[in-house]
Amino acid sequence: VSEAKTAAILGDGGWGTAMALLLAGQGRPVRLWGYDPAYLREMQRTRENPRFLPGYRLPPEVAFEPDMTRALTQASLVIVAIPTKFLRASLQAAPRAVPEGVPVVSLTKGIEPGTLKRPSEILRDCTGCHAVAVLSGPSHAELVAAGQPTTVVVAARDESVAQAVQDALMTPVFRVYRSTDMLGVELGGALKNVIALAAGICTGLGLGDNALAALITRGLAEIARLGVALGARPETFAGLSGMGDLVVTCISAYGRNRAVGLALAEGKSLAEIEAARLTVAEGVTTAGSALALARSAGVEMPIVEQVVAVLAGEKDPRAAVTELMTREGKAE
Amino acid sequence: VSEAKTAAILGDGGWGTAMALLLAGQGRPVRLWGYDPAYLREMQRTRENPRFLPGYRLPPEVAFEPDMTRALTQASLVIVAIPTKFLRASLQAAPRAVPEGVPVVSLTKGIEPGTLKRPSEILRDCTGCHAVAVLSGPSHAELVAAGQPTTVVVAARDESVAQAVQDALMTPVFRVYRSTDMLGVELGGALKNVIALAAGICTGLGLGDNALAALITRGLAEIARLGVALGARPETFAGLSGMGDLVVTCISAYGRNRAVGLALAEGKSLAEIEAARLTVAEGVTTAGSALALARSAGVEMPIVEQVVAVLAGEKDPRAAVTELMTREGKAE
């Protein structure tokens, strides 16, 4: 195994760890960085990620590195899977540490509150790196770790960057497609988490699959409306990173945002729900950012609006869903 | 209750019966026609449809009529929910019996083998009626009968026909949108059953939700490709009768076509599966018709092609899915 093939993965959540397994499975050395040195030592000792991806043995190719600069040194591929709200602060620990020309792949799905920047923009700001790519698509980490067939899209402004990432990650069961619509791929990944909160509410209220399918359909329509207004390509939203990721996030038992929606439907408050969770449900923060983006672009996002009101405790989940179902809109 | 408001429903399967409940719930007299007089008598006696929609009491507004011409006489709305393969032959029992100008709404989802005609075209051929509309969208009959929120699309060439049907069917929990893209609405409804067979196979093989979501996404892409080549509007496939109906059919436990796919994945032959079913899984016949349409239009439909091969017993379900997953197609 050549040291030159070392990949750095920033973020030791479920998705970062699943990517570590994927790369290690190809015989590639991986340095996994996480913010908590004690937890990294625990993973090193147990060869498992018990909190975020239990049940998968981490092979010897995976090393644990609490120092981000050291994790990045001489890496030939960088993967970033840090939640949006910690992304900028985390990266400031290692300014300009990404080696020149090395692709940096964002798995982070969100929109930064206040700046309304996407993770790829934060990565460019903080690393100075221009070979930034984003990876998205229907890809629950647990299923990728289990080796179940998964297809994703990698988008970069420069197609040669997308190509390099595709070559690095593709396996017979992890299929990687290329795109140059970074904006569309990234927005689809971020915004689907907000619709998944609504899907969890819908399911939690026992409204049935007809209503769920209608919600998913209307959800994609409003995601695409915003995306196109901001300059993304409409066809991206019909693809794996749009419709595909939205569908899996809204139906799968693994979805964190859907799980938060289920709890909201039970009448729990957001504060109670978040206090009981170890993982970050990105949709909670993204909802407000999405609404701000929509307003600045002059686009209507009725589902996102209702989700924001429910999260703020300003509206009862059932009233919110009823309002969505009874909106006027007689021609489709 | 005015006799002038009588609706005729042709077809006493689950969907026809759910529509009878919906209309009866608005106080409208309904004549329900079915091909088997003995079964109609059984429903009349038990006030239930035990084979196709068990557990729902049929109210006194619903009458059972074995004579199609009598069922249609003086009806002010006609709803047709007869499986495609019986549609033409059934309608020949009552030529020109639809009263002049009365809207005829097709709930049938399929493509006739040989002629490759859509149900609305068969209806026009057989009834001479021009006020034909089609109704489609995510609407499992069981959930409509249970009063769960459902949204559908009604399409007609003449918008005033769609409007009349919308006015007749809309309730607070059954939302009806209008469209003039009959072709797109009808093709989405028919073709989604073929993709649902593939979804059942995928789920039955235990391939997981990432693969299922990718399949649904690629499935909609090939449905839209064919539809647009035949003259439908692309946006119809992103709507309730396209994406919405596809999603519910591929994920819901109520889906008949999905159930056939699950059985195929267990290694059962189509003949064994059909012998054990009371209901018609439309996708089985539609698959071959869809492939014929695709070939005549010069459109690639790789998922439909694999489904046809599996149904014919020419290909193992696992081999078919593997072939789909490993197809080349590096840019999305």
Side-chain angles (χ1 to χ4, degrees), chain A residues 167-185:
Chain A
D167 292 344
L169 298 180
M170 179 88 101
T171 77
V173 293
F174 191 79
R175 309 281 306 168
V176 182
Y177 293 84
R178 286 193 313 270
S179 162
T180 54
D181 185 12
M182 278 187 88
L183 175 63
V185 168

Side-chain angles (χ1 to χ4, degrees), chain A residues 64-323:
Chain A
F64 304 89
E65 177 54 69
D67 182 312
M68 191 184 284
T69 303
R70 277 212 299 266
L72 292 169
T73 301
Q74 295 193 313
S76 57
L77 176 69
V78 177
I79 290 175
V80 182
I82 300 170
T84 311
K85 65 175 160 183
F86 306 128
L87 187 56
R88 191 179 290 274
S90 301
L91 291 171
Q92 275 156 0
R96 314 274 142 175
V98 174
E100 182 75 27
V102 165
V104 177
V105 186
S106 168
L107 309 186
T108 302
K109 291 173 174 174
I111 299 167
E112 193 175 40
T115 67
L116 305 185
K117 287 195 174 180
R118 291 169 283 120
S120 67
E121 296 175 297
I122 301 172
L123 280 174
R124 258 189 230 110
D125 287 356
C126 296
T127 66
C129 171
H130 288 281
V132 174
V134 298
L135 184 150
S136 199
S139 47
H140 275 304
E142 293 81 354
L143 302 177
V144 172
Q148 293 208 309
T150 300
T151 51
V152 298
V153 180
V154 164
R157 285 201 283 211
D158 177 349
E159 191 153 15
S160 71
V161 172
Q163 174 85 60
V165 176
Q166 182 183 41
D167 292 344
L169 298 180
M170 179 88 101
T171 77
V173 293
F174 191 79
R175 309 281 306 168
V176 182
Y177 293 84
R178 286 193 313 270
S179 162
T180 54
D181 185 12
M182 278 187 88
L183 175 63
V185 168
E186 212 165 11
L187 283 176
L191 297 170
K192 67 106 192 347
N193 285 328
V194 185
I195 307 302
L197 288 164
I201 292 172
C202 179
T203 302
L205 293 175
L207 297 180
D209 288 340
N210 292 349
L212 178 64
L215 177 79
I216 294 174
T217 305
R218 300 259 167 206
L220 186 61
E222 69 182 63
I223 290 175
R225 203 154 55 223
L226 176 63
V228 170
L230 296 177
R233 290 201 291 265
E235 60 270 28
T236 299
F237 300 99
L240 293 166
S241 64
M243 174 177 167
D245 196 10
L246 176 67
V247 166
V248 80
T249 308
C250 289
I251 68 165
S252 173
Y254 293 103
R256 298 172 186 182
N257 294 283
R258 180 178 170 277
V260 170
L262 290 171
L264 289 166
E266 282 172 23
K268 293 193 181 131
S269 74
L270 181 59
E272 288 173 88
I273 296 164
E274 297 218 301
R277 293 186 64 84
L278 276 174
T279 54
V280 175
E282 285 274 17
V284 172
T285 318
T286 307
S289 302
L291 195 56
L293 268 183
R295 283 179 179 159
S296 73
V299 165
E300 263 199 72
M301 298 190 83
I303 301 174
V304 171
E305 228 171 274
Q306 295 294 335
V307 168
V308 168
V310 170
L311 288 172
E314 289 161 8
K315 191 170 268 177
D316 172 68
R318 189 171 292 273
V321 171
T322 306
E323 197 164 310

